[in-house]
Amino acid sequence: MRRLFLTGFLAMVGMGLFAQSVDKAKDALKAGKIPDAKTQIDGALAVEKNQKNAEAWYTKLKVYNAIAANDQLRTQYPDARDQAFDALKKYVDLDEKDKKLVLLQMDGYKPINEIYQGYFQVGANDYNAGKYDDALKSFTGAIAASSYMTSKGWTKLPIDTTSTLYAGISAEKANKKDTAAVYYGRLADAKIASINGTNMIDIYKWLVDYWNTKKDAANTEKYLSLAEAQYPDDLFWPDTRLTNIREKGNKDSLWAQYDRIVAHFPKNHLFFFNYGLEMYQFANDTSSGHRPANYDALIAKSQDMLKKCLEIQPDYPQAALVLGQISYNAAVDLQSDTKKIPGKGPEDIKKRADLRIAAGKKFDEAIPYFDMVDKDLGSKGKLKMDEKTALKDAYDLLINIYQEKKVKDKEDLYTNKFNNVDKDH
């Protein structure tokens, strides 16, 4: 009987000492004696059986929050906020089913807000000081605190956009691109278009470029699609798609992509110009030893695209120059074809004559386009180097045409203009 009585007595004394330690920690904290409060609560929780007491963990939460908020003590105990957060989670695990977090509710959830705000503020301070690795760690803590609150239903914020953004930026500035991709990816996955009024398009461009550089086609396409849904009229997305398809070398896929792009951007003359020029260049690529079987269809489509470009932007000399070159080159091809008919009979003579007439018509077809280049660029003052080159090309071909036609005054006119481009422009 005595033994049982003694054991019970000792247990009661132990419980009293535990309660006394927690109370002393609370009293010391209330009095602003934070180091004493830390000593008391650490001592209480050093006893294994006391680690199942929710109030003890809640007291540790508040004590360590106080340490983290004190500049001097935070330097001495740099992990104080992490320990406070861990104490919060242990308190919740022990208390939420039983007492429904009465202590936390009585404090208006202030401790968890202090944890979040503390992480964020330290992160902001480190970021502004250029300590990007430290900032990343703190913003990651803020994200964890925010996510925890969301998981418990204490807030309905699906994603802490600001902390996530700055975690990504801090990681990028710390040259941790893989980590930056994780945080930027969370924003894009959540389809965030702006944060605090700031457009997030550069985040999407960063992700597209990041995955594209890694040659990860699946993720590149994923973020291209997400980006296009948020910013459908930005040209970075179609330019990226065209570049990627172009590198793979499948021309049918390239033309199909161009068709989708010009349908989406019907007033963008540059897409029509690039489509027409690229198709024309492909049609005339004889590196394989011959022209494509559908050469005529490609040339016709190329001309349609370039004419559409001029329809949208009438004073775009590059498109006029290429259209002129297409007709000019067709004329030269027809002239070359006459040499393939060596016979001297009436039928062969007629064939050659018909080809020369057709060539003349093609030269006539080219002249108005070269004149457009002259009108657009020849009337200007100082020209850029590419504009000078375009103007010289137009004059050079006009000289050749009028030589063929034996129109000396026109030939001399454009020869003089050609010789004076550098001086006049």
Side-chain angles (χ1 to χ4, degrees):
M1 289 291 290
R2 285 186 180 181
R3 186 177 183 183
L4 289 174
F5 175 77
L6 183 61
T7 302
F9 175 75
L10 289 174
M12 289 172 64
V13 170
M15 290 176 63
L17 288 175
F18 169 73
Q20 190 176 41
S21 294
V22 174
D23 287 341
K24 284 183 177 180
K26 289 158 63 175
D27 290 341
L29 180 61
K30 187 175 181 180
K33 299 177 181 179
I34 303 173
D36 289 346
K38 177 182 182 304
T39 300
Q40 292 294 332
I41 197 62
D42 286 350
L45 286 170
V47 179
E48 185 177 353
K49 63 181 180 179
N50 296 338
Q51 293 177 8
K52 294 183 180 181
N53 185 284
E55 184 180 6
W57 286 111
Y58 191 75
T59 302
K60 179 175 180 177
L61 158 63
K62 298 184 72 172
V63 170
Y64 275 75
N65 259 354
I67 294 171
N70 184 290
D71 292 339
Q72 184 177 354
L73 291 174
R74 184 171 65 248
T75 301
Q76 189 176 352
Y77 305 106
D79 67 339
R81 186 166 286 110
D82 294 337
Q83 290 210 45
F85 191 16
D86 183 61
L88 168 72
K89 289 185 279 189
K90 287 178 178 176
Y91 159 72
V92 171
D93 287 344
L94 290 168
D95 203 51
E96 65 180 341
K97 290 182 180 179
D98 184 17
K99 297 184 179 179
K100 308 299 181 185
L101 308 179
V102 172
L103 295 175
L104 189 60
Q105 289 183 43
M106 287 175 62
D107 278 335
Y109 294 88
K110 182 180 176 182
I112 180 59
N113 287 320
E114 289 176 340
I115 289 172
Y116 171 79
Q117 291 168 5
Y119 276 129
F120 187 89
Q121 189 58 57
V122 172
N125 292 342
D126 286 336
Y127 179 87
N128 290 332
K131 300 176 182 178
Y132 300 118
D133 279 310
D134 291 338
L136 172 60
K137 181 179 178 181
S138 292
F139 285 127
T140 301
I143 293 166
S146 175
S147 299
Y148 185 74
M149 287 190 277
T150 300
S151 72
K152 293 299 179 182
W154 302 339
T155 176
K156 294 183 179 180
L157 186 69
I159 179 173
D160 180 1
T161 55
T162 304
S163 294
T164 303
L165 172 63
Y166 278 97
I169 296 174
S170 298
E172 183 184 355
K173 287 182 177 291
N175 201 31
K176 296 179 176 179
K177 290 188 175 181
D178 292 345
T179 303
V182 171
Y183 291 109
Y184 289 156
R186 290 180 186 177
L187 294 173
D189 292 346
K191 302 178 181 179
I192 304 299
S194 65
I195 296 176
N196 300 326
T198 300
N199 191 303
M200 288 294 107
I201 190 170
D202 287 340
I203 295 301
Y204 289 82
K205 288 181 179 180
W206 190 96
L207 284 165
V208 169
D209 183 67
Y210 172 82
W211 290 111
N212 209 24
T213 300
K214 285 183 170 288
K215 304 298 181 184
D216 187 324
N219 274 311
T220 298
E221 176 57 34
K222 171 186 175 180
Y223 289 108
L224 272 172
S225 297
L226 286 169
E228 286 173 326
Q230 297 295 334
Y231 316 98
D233 296 327
D234 194 272
L235 304 185
F236 184 81
W237 328 125
D239 283 341
T240 300
R241 290 187 184 281
L242 287 171
T243 298
N244 289 348
I245 295 173
R246 193 178 290 119
E247 288 177 355
K248 293 177 182 177
N250 187 316
K251 294 301 181 181
D252 288 337
S253 296
L254 183 63
W255 310 144
Q257 185 62 42
Y258 262 123
D259 284 333
R260 286 190 288 271
I261 290 171
V262 296
H264 184 77
F265 297 94
K267 296 188 182 299
N268 188 304
H269 68 286
L270 289 175
F271 281 126
F272 286 96
F273 172 73
N274 291 336
Y275 191 0
L277 176 62
E278 197 159 1
M279 184 168 278
Y280 174 64
Q281 290 172 334
F282 170 70
N284 284 279
D285 180 6
T286 57
S287 58
S288 63
H290 56 81
R291 287 174 169 173
N294 60 338
Y295 175 83
D296 291 338
L298 290 170
I299 293 299
K301 180 71 174 283
S302 170
Q303 288 175 305
D304 286 344
M305 294 299 103
L306 292 165
K307 288 176 182 177
K308 181 64 178 177
C309 171
L310 283 179
E311 187 180 310
I312 298 167
Q313 191 76 25
D315 59 345
Y316 192 66
Q318 286 82 355
L321 178 63
V322 177
L323 278 166
Q325 289 171 329
I326 291 175
S327 296
Y328 178 89
N329 290 337
V332 173
D333 287 344
L334 289 167
Q335 286 181 325
S336 298
D337 288 342
T338 63
K339 299 175 182 179
K340 299 174 184 178
I341 306 173
K344 296 182 180 181
E347 187 175 333
D348 288 337
I349 292 172
K350 183 178 183 308
K351 286 181 180 179
R352 287 194 292 272
D354 289 343
L355 287 172
R356 291 191 187 98
I357 292 171
K361 290 180 179 179
K362 286 295 179 182
F363 281 135
D364 290 340
E365 190 178 275
I367 290 172
Y369 292 117
F370 295 140
D371 283 341
M372 288 175 67
V373 179
D374 181 31
K375 179 181 177 182
D376 289 336
L377 299 178
S379 61
K380 290 183 178 180
K382 190 71 175 176
L383 296 176
K384 297 176 183 177
M385 186 56 67
D386 62 324
E387 292 175 325
K388 280 187 182 182
T389 300
L391 186 57
K392 283 184 176 181
D393 287 346
Y395 288 154
D396 185 48
L397 295 175
L398 282 168
I399 293 166
N400 293 340
I401 290 173
Y402 287 117
Q403 280 178 341
E404 287 289 333
K405 290 179 169 292
K406 296 181 171 51
V407 181
K408 190 70 169 59
D409 59 335
K410 291 281 191 179
E411 179 186 344
D412 291 343
L413 171 66
Y414 290 110
T415 298
N416 182 61
K417 287 190 174 189
F418 179 89
N419 292 334
N420 288 306
V421 167
D422 290 325
K423 183 182 71 174
D424 295 341
H425 304 284

